[in-house]
């Protein structure tokens, strides 16, 4: 099994060409990605100021993997505490967990489904700050605003064809799901190809976000999401509004 620490060491190895260090960072992301692989990668390119040409600033890869490592260490420590508590609960005869940690979020109807389809929609928080926020919520702390990013502005209401869902205007976290009881996925009308994101077309040569691509950002991007309904019995994914 690939070790996160082994791959992180490769990212730090200045004797390697930038493309090798970049590949090692990708492997680290397959082992830990709080926003999902694509959205976490996009976040790190912006947070670490990763330019289109890695040769211009190979140390941006170190900044990226160190932020990822810091968040992972926080999550690992909490996961070990949770595992120990669950063992104690099982010994006491409580087989069903009293709570579900954020890293074991149910795969059906996840509130962060939009991030999986659009890597430009995710919290603007640094990864360690996001992990700390999720841990605080797990502890029962009442935090203001969106559970994911803390945005306190009005939500974006999107039609599902069966009702409406309320999404965070900043990161598209589903604040209030549609009350129809069906599973809805929120996806962009115009999808961004993974290869374009991977090649950092959204960044400039100096490591700043490009002002030209993608053209629609922020709340306007959330407002353009389309709702899809998943029928788990037939495994059919249907865009809401289609017959």
């Amino acid at each position: 099994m690939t070790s996160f620490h082994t791959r992180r060491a490769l990212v730090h190895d200045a004797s390697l060409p930038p493309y090798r260090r970049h590949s090692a960072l990708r492997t680290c992301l397959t082992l830990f990605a709080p926003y999902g692989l694509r959205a976490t990668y996009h976040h790190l390119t912006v947070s670490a100021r990763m330019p289109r040409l890695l040769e211009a600033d190979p140390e941006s890869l170190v900044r990226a993997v160190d932020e990822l490592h810091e968040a992972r260490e926080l999550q690992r420590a909490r996961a070990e505490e949770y595992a120990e508590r669950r063992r104690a609960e099982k010994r006491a005869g409580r087989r069903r967990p009293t709570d579900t940690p954020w890293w074991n979020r149910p795969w059906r109807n996840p509130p962060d489904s939009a991030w999986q389809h659009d890597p430009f929609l995710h919290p603007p928080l640094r990864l360690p700050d996001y992990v700390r926020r999720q841990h605080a919520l797990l502890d029962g702390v009442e935090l203001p605003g969106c559970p994911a990013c803390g945005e306190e502005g009005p939500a974006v209401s999107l039609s599902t064809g069966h009702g409406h869902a309320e999404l965070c205007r900043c990161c598209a976290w589903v604040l209030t799901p549609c009350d129809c009881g069906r599973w809805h996925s929120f996806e962009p009308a115009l999808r961004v190809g993974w290869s374009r994101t991977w090649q950092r077309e959204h960044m400039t040569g100096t490591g700043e976000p490009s002002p030209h691509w993608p053209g629609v950002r922020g709340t306007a991007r959330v407002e353009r999401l389309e709702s899809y309904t998943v029928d788990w019995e037939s495994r059919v994914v249907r865009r809401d509004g289609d017959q």
Side-chain angles (χ1 to χ4, degrees):
M1 179 178 293
T2 301
S3 165
F4 183 96
H5 292 289
T6 298
R7 294 298 173 175
R8 176 174 175 248
L10 293 178
V11 178
H12 275 259
D13 189 347
S15 67
L16 295 175
Y19 79 90
R20 285 280 307 280
R21 300 167 73 181
H22 187 236
S23 178
L25 173 63
R26 177 178 61 183
T27 303
C28 289
L29 285 166
T30 64
L31 300 173
F32 180 69
Y35 296 156
L37 189 146
R38 296 199 305 160
T40 303
Y41 175 76
H42 171 265
H43 164 81
L44 290 175
T45 62
V46 176
S47 176
R49 305 183 304 281
M50 198 180 299
R52 283 193 184 186
L53 295 177
L54 295 174
E55 291 79 3
D57 185 10
E59 288 306 298
S60 64
L61 297 169
V62 174
R63 294 193 293 270
V65 80
D66 282 352
E67 179 180 339
L68 187 67
H69 170 70
E70 182 183 351
R72 182 174 181 267
E73 289 300 293
L74 291 171
Q75 186 274 334
R76 286 186 63 201
R78 188 56 183 266
E80 290 174 0
E81 293 177 5
Y82 180 81
E84 178 59 34
R85 177 161 62 85
R86 283 295 299 130
R87 285 192 288 268
E89 289 177 348
K90 289 179 180 179
R91 288 194 295 268
R94 294 194 297 272
R95 307 299 298 178
R96 179 170 296 182
T98 55
D99 50 31
T100 300
W102 63 271
W103 59 86
N104 283 340
R105 189 172 293 134
W107 61 275
R108 287 193 183 187
N109 219 20
D112 59 355
S113 65
W115 309 350
Q116 311 303 322
H117 303 288
D118 189 341
F120 293 87
L121 289 176
H122 57 75
L125 303 177
R126 292 184 73 255
L127 298 180
D129 293 336
Y130 172 78
V131 171
R132 292 188 186 96
R133 184 175 181 84
Q134 296 308 301
H135 289 170
L137 292 171
L138 187 61
D139 290 335
V141 178
E142 294 186 6
L143 300 177
C146 169
C149 70
E151 169 62 43
E152 298 185 53
V156 173
S157 179
L158 292 181
S159 173
T160 65
H162 314 102
H164 287 80
E166 304 289 328
L167 275 62
C168 173
R169 65 189 297 103
C170 176
C171 71
W173 179 277
V174 179
L175 301 171
T176 306
C178 181
D179 59 6
C180 70
R182 303 184 186 186
W183 187 91
H184 296 286
S185 174
F186 297 95
E187 305 178 18
L190 296 176
R191 297 172 184 261
V192 176
W194 168 234
S195 62
R196 300 187 70 184
T197 307
W198 179 244
Q199 294 167 8
R200 298 169 304 289
E201 290 187 26
H202 56 282
M203 302 298 289
T204 65
T206 58
E208 299 295 330
S210 170
H212 307 295
W213 191 85
V216 180
R217 303 170 186 266
T219 301
R221 197 169 186 87
V222 178
E223 292 171 342
R224 296 193 181 190
L225 290 172
E226 295 180 339
S227 175
Y228 291 75
T229 299
V230 180
D231 185 340
W232 291 107
E233 293 184 359
S234 60
R235 296 297 191 272
V236 172
V237 181
R238 181 179 296 104
R239 186 173 64 180
D240 292 325
D242 291 350
Q243 299 299 320

